[in-house]
Amino acid sequence: MSKKNQSFGVDLVETDGRTQVLVDNKEIGYIEKTTRGFAGYFGKQAVINQAKDEDEALQAILASFNLYQ
């Protein structure tokens, strides 16, 4: 992922039934499986509640990261 001539390393780590989203080895959010699909959280705030797959939830988290960094 890159932003204004900067590059960020993005990693996904499976832990305790959820997937942590790490950017440059710092957790920025996580993805959880829900009864309706997947929920994506940026920090502790939900940015998407009904993603159809993990990729859609990840894209929502990364979009939030770009807005706030």
Side-chain angles (χ1 to χ4, degrees), residues 17-38:
R18 70 182 194 179
T19 303
Q20 292 178 313
V21 179
L22 307 173
V23 173
D24 288 342
N25 297 321
K26 295 179 184 175
E27 183 178 0
I28 63 161
Y30 59 94
I31 301 168
E32 285 185 333
K33 177 111 174 89
T34 66
T35 56
R36 296 182 191 174
F38 294 88

Side-chain angles (χ1 to χ4, degrees), residues 37-48:
F38 294 88
Y41 295 86
F42 179 71
K44 294 186 185 238
Q45 180 162 355
V47 292
I48 189 166

Side-chain angles (χ1 to χ4, degrees), residues 4-69:
K4 295 183 183 179
N5 299 327
Q6 296 178 9
S7 293
F8 299 98
V10 177
D11 294 305
L12 302 177
V13 179
E14 296 278 336
T15 58
D16 299 326
R18 70 182 194 179
T19 303
Q20 292 178 313
V21 179
L22 307 173
V23 173
D24 288 342
N25 297 321
K26 295 179 184 175
E27 183 178 0
I28 63 161
Y30 59 94
I31 301 168
E32 285 185 333
K33 177 111 174 89
T34 66
T35 56
R36 296 182 191 174
F38 294 88
Y41 295 86
F42 179 71
K44 294 186 185 238
Q45 180 162 355
V47 292
I48 189 166
N49 289 316
Q50 294 182 358
K52 53 189 164 189
D53 56 27
E54 279 188 308
D55 189 52
E56 184 179 358
L58 175 62
Q59 294 304 317
I61 293 168
L62 293 177
S64 294
F65 177 73
N66 272 338
L67 291 174
Y68 295 109
Q69 288 299 313

